[in-house]
Amino acid sequence: MKALKYRPNSVARSLVSNQTKTIALISGPLHNPFFVETTTSIVNYAEVKGYRTMVFFEHTDENRPVYDAVLAERVDGILLSSIFRDDSIFDELHALNIPIVMYNRRHNRGGNYVEIDNELSGSIAASHLLELGHRNLGLIGGPDYTSTFHGRKTGFVREYERWLGQAFPEEMIVETNTTEAAVHQAVLDLTSRKKMPTAIFAATDAIAFFAMDKLQEIGYSIPEDISICGMDNVNFASHQSFQLTSIGQKGPKNLGLIGAEHLIDLIEEEPLEEVQITLEPTLYDRKTTKPI
Amino acid sequence: MKALKYRPNSVARSLVSNQTKTIALISGPLHNPFFVETTTSIVNYAEVKGYRTMVFFEHTDENRPVYDAVLAERVDGILLSSIFRDDSIFDELHALNIPIVMYNRRHNRGGNYVEIDNELSGSIAASHLLELGHRNLGLIGGPDYTSTFHGRKTGFVREYERWLGQAFPEEMIVETNTTEAAVHQAVLDLTSRKKMPTAIFAATDAIAFFAMDKLQEIGYSIPEDISICGMDNVNFASHQSFQLTSIGQKGPKNLGLIGAEHLIDLIEEEPLEEVQITLEPTLYDRKTTKPI
DNA sequence: GTGAAAGCGCTAACAC
DNA sequence: GTGTTAGCGCTTTCAC
């Protein structure tokens, strides 16, 4: 009788069942194509599994408002890419007593995470550039207090020092906040060093794209004048207009999707053991790097 | 006393207050950079205004599951880019009696919407290409049952016929579902016509990027062999590696942000009058189009 | 089996 | 002002 009118109130149901069928996603910014791919996978996977996704984007400056919003919300689980290595939000989030999975970045104290081997990635980038004969390398990264950039830098520097037996020159490392403006400035900085680098490792493809844009704008050809190696192997990297050499994972499932699968497992099954996954990286050798 | 433990239950509060401080966003796919820009703006604006955003992505095939999920949810308002010109979901959504704003696409019957003038955009594209001397034009669009593609095609064809006094050749219009594979096929189709087009209007920048990728892959140079004009004037369009000529709006606020502002107004203020906004387009003339 | 009642954790209304 | 109570719309339990 009420057949064609009645809509059960999901809020009332949530109140009694104590589950909202909603997950919170705290993602890095979408101007980084890596996060467009993970966000797409996560939202669509959650939908298939019957979950709604509340999306929040990491702020460049201060994440407190985002975390406060999430903390105030009742969700069944949290997926986040934005944590710092030694982030105090780790405890606050875990005090919620709901499943939490970190993807991309991880926290010093562990927890559930899905990452790529960042140190290995950095060393793959370095040895690729070194093998091509480059000796004057630059690195444009993000904040060192994130596991991703810390790991990539560490691996890159270590491999350089292993090859050449000399310290990597500090001034060839530029840490940015990964925004377009900051990366453009980094390019200006690096190209004005007394010995300009012949090759740059951009610690994400997003950084690589910004850097290539600026380099071309100020008159450099890639890879003729300077080689660029990115990381994440984002879809756009293989576009003919970029042909960006990049480090990326091997399998087809991105870190976000793997994280989402495990998060929903953790929500629905008994909290077996921690999920701590480190994917193996590999080099996707395209056209933005060439022998010197 | 309970000072350091108590977290108010937002679900219980929502039940009694009858508001969830949550909006639903049904967005086109993020592989279209237009939607990464709108989604970013919407989520961040909503957060500032104290609203959470539940994100859903339009499916290429069948949107029913998405709409069912949204219909089952209690949200304070809905923002959607995915509606068809004559979509029956229009009534179902409006039966919810909550504010609804369509952005990008609109419905035949009106409602609240924020769009760009699609017909004018199409005619701007046509006259730009015609002015450059091109007479053999191709069009790669999306489904005609969407206001955007319908309008862009209509304006493009009308302008062509106004200039040349002859019917636009049907076989030079390829309607796709805007996926990468479909656009690649469209490029193959168009380049194998007995008279290959010397210029293509891609009805979105996303389509333009896919088309350029395929064209270059099969050996064409842009714009030397073929001119490409996109639409949306997405951030990536101005990247040095693309330099994509595109049609876009004039102002700095994207359609999604404008839609979000009005949606939250409608939620918080009395439902004054309908918001029906049509932005004026303009040509961003870059390097992918040249005189024949 | 069917039906009534209790209760989830808040807010708002009403008393004192 | 401060305290108590009713009730939001479900689900689950318990009685019949």
Side-chain angles (χ1 to χ4, degrees):
Chain A
M1 29 212 65
K2 62 232 295 193
L4 270 318
K5 278 286 144 190
Y6 174 69
R7 292 199 316 129
N9 186 323
S10 60
V11 176
R13 173 179 294 149
S14 288
L15 182 60
V16 45
S17 68
N18 204 32
Q19 52 165 7
T20 52
K21 284 294 195 175
T22 300
I23 63 172
L25 167 63
I26 309 172
S27 169
L30 295 183
H31 66 67
N32 181 342
F34 173 80
F35 292 115
V36 345
E37 295 170 23
T38 54
T39 299
T40 298
S41 302
I42 292 165
V43 169
N44 288 337
Y45 178 76
E47 191 216 311
V48 166
K49 301 294 281 187
Y51 287 79
R52 257 60 70 211
T53 310
M54 244 171 212
V55 176
F56 301 84
F57 293 118
E58 178 190 11
H59 294 183
T60 313
D61 45 349
E62 173 56 61
N63 278 326
R64 195 67 230 177
V66 176
Y67 288 126
D68 282 341
V70 174
L71 255 4
E73 212 56 44
R74 296 314 243 236
V75 293
D76 294 349
I78 301 175
L79 204 45
L80 77 163
S81 71
S82 54
I83 204 157
F84 302 149
R85 287 197 286 145
D86 187 27
D87 204 320
S88 62
I89 198 66
F90 185 86
D91 292 323
E92 292 185 66
L93 255 17
H94 283 267
L96 260 29
N97 266 316
I98 56 174
I100 296 176
V101 174
M102 290 158 282
Y103 68 100
N104 187 44
R105 313 214 276 228
R106 51 159 295 194
H107 191 271
N108 276 344
R109 295 229 299 288
N112 303 301
Y113 61 81
V114 187
E115 62 169 2
I116 191 170
D117 189 328
N118 289 296
E119 289 202 24
L120 217 202
S121 300
S123 66
I124 290 174
S127 61
H128 172 60
L129 267 14
L130 260 1
E131 272 169 14
L132 291 173
H134 295 278
R135 290 296 176 269
N136 206 344
L137 309 182
L139 168 61
I140 305 179
D144 189 63
Y145 47 77
T146 61
S147 66
T148 44
F149 293 115
H150 178 75
R152 292 167 200 192
K153 183 183 73 178
T154 303
F156 189 79
V157 167
R158 194 204 305 112
E159 187 69 9
Y160 175 95
E161 300 184 341
R162 202 175 65 77
W163 270 62
L164 303 182
Q166 53 182 259
F168 189 87
E170 287 264 338
E171 72 275 16
M172 301 309 274
I173 299 177
V174 186
E175 280 170 23
T176 72
N177 64 5
T178 74
T179 60
E180 179 164 25
V183 173
H184 285 182
Q185 187 54 50
V187 166
L188 261 16
D189 291 351
L190 241 25
T191 52
S192 61
R193 293 281 181 267
K194 57 177 182 292
K195 288 193 64 174
M196 187 185 130
T198 61
I200 291 176
F201 174 40
T204 67
D205 285 353
I207 293 176
F209 293 141
F210 287 149
M212 289 167 74
D213 189 23
K214 192 63 180 181
L215 282 165
Q216 292 173 93
E217 184 195 321
I218 60 182
Y220 293 100
S221 292
I222 300 162
E224 290 71 21
D225 299 325
I226 187 164
S227 287
I228 302 282
C229 177
M231 172 156 180
D232 285 338
N233 190 37
V234 130
N235 287 335
F236 254 128
S238 58
H239 193 287
Q240 294 289 328
S241 296
F242 287 123
Q243 289 277 63
L244 176 64
T245 295
S246 188
I247 319 285
Q249 58 173 91
K250 290 177 170 170
K253 289 186 184 177
N254 64 54
L255 298 179
L257 176 56
I258 298 171
E261 290 174 347
H262 285 286
L263 180 68
I264 290 180
D265 265 8
L266 290 171
I267 291 172
E268 301 191 336
E269 318 291 336
E270 263 324 286
L272 18 160
E273 51 201 291
E274 287 187 318
V275 358
Q276 308 198 139
I277 298 173
T278 303
L279 264 42
E280 199 185 334
T282 188
L283 177 72
Y284 292 86
D285 192 2
R286 286 186 276 252
K287 306 283 175 57
T288 55
T289 51
K290 73 168 238 315
I292 193 165
Chain B
M1 27 211 67
K2 61 229 298 194
L4 268 319
K5 277 287 146 189
Y6 174 68
R7 293 198 315 129
N9 186 323
S10 60
V11 177
R13 174 179 295 148
S14 289
L15 183 61
V16 46
S17 69
N18 204 32
Q19 51 164 10
T20 54
K21 284 294 195 174
T22 300
I23 63 173
L25 167 63
I26 309 172
S27 169
L30 296 182
H31 65 66
N32 181 342
F34 173 80
F35 292 113
V36 345
E37 294 171 23
T38 54
T39 299
T40 298
S41 302
I42 292 165
V43 168
N44 287 337
Y45 178 75
E47 191 215 310
V48 167
K49 301 293 281 186
Y51 287 79
R52 258 59 70 214
T53 309
M54 247 174 209
V55 176
F56 301 83
F57 293 119
E58 178 189 14
H59 293 182
T60 314
D61 44 349
E62 172 57 59
N63 278 326
R64 195 66 231 179
V66 176
Y67 288 126
D68 283 341
V70 174
L71 257 2
E73 213 55 43
R74 297 312 243 236
V75 293
D76 294 349
I78 301 175
L79 204 46
L80 77 164
S81 71
S82 54
I83 205 157
F84 302 148
R85 287 198 285 145
D86 186 29
D87 204 320
S88 62
I89 198 66
F90 186 86
D91 292 323
E92 292 185 66
L93 254 20
H94 283 268
L96 259 31
N97 267 316
I98 57 175
I100 296 176
V101 174
M102 289 158 283
Y103 68 99
N104 186 43
R105 297 185 193 164
R106 50 160 295 193
H107 191 271
N108 276 344
R109 295 229 298 287
N112 304 302
Y113 60 81
V114 187
E115 63 170 1
I116 191 171
D117 189 330
N118 289 295
E119 288 202 24
L120 216 202
S121 300
S123 67
I124 289 173
S127 61
H128 172 61
L129 267 14
L130 260 1
E131 272 168 14
L132 291 173
H134 295 278
R135 290 296 175 267
N136 207 346
L137 309 182
L139 168 62
I140 305 180
D144 188 63
Y145 48 77
T146 61
S147 67
T148 43
F149 294 116
H150 178 75
R152 292 167 200 193
K153 183 182 73 177
T154 303
F156 189 80
V157 166
R158 194 206 305 111
E159 187 69 9
Y160 176 95
E161 300 184 340
R162 202 175 67 74
W163 270 61
L164 302 182
Q166 55 182 257
F168 189 87
E170 287 264 340
E171 72 275 15
M172 301 309 276
I173 300 176
V174 186
E175 281 170 21
T176 72
N177 64 5
T178 73
T179 60
E180 179 164 25
V183 173
H184 285 182
Q185 186 55 49
V187 165
L188 261 14
D189 291 351
L190 240 28
T191 51
S192 61
R193 293 280 183 269
K194 58 178 183 295
K195 288 192 67 174
M196 189 186 130
T198 61
I200 290 176
F201 174 39
T204 68
D205 285 354
I207 293 176
F209 293 141
F210 287 149
M212 289 166 74
D213 190 22
K214 192 64 179 181
L215 282 165
Q216 292 172 93
E217 183 195 321
I218 60 181
Y220 293 99
S221 291
I222 299 161
E224 290 71 21
D225 300 325
I226 187 165
S227 286
I228 301 282
C229 176
M231 169 154 181
D232 284 338
N233 191 37
V234 131
N235 287 335
F236 253 130
S238 58
H239 193 286
Q240 296 288 330
S241 296
F242 288 123
Q243 288 278 63
L244 176 64
T245 295
S246 188
I247 319 287
Q249 59 172 88
K250 291 178 171 171
K253 290 186 183 177
N254 65 53
L255 299 179
L257 176 55
I258 299 171
E261 291 174 346
H262 285 286
L263 181 68
I264 290 180
D265 266 7
L266 290 170
I267 292 172
E268 301 191 335
E269 316 291 335
E270 264 323 285
L272 19 161
E273 50 201 292
E274 286 187 317
V275 357
Q276 307 198 138
I277 298 173
T278 302
L279 264 43
E280 199 184 336
T282 188
L283 177 72
Y284 292 86
D285 192 0
R286 287 184 276 252
K287 304 284 176 55
T288 56
T289 50
K290 73 167 238 317
I292 192 165

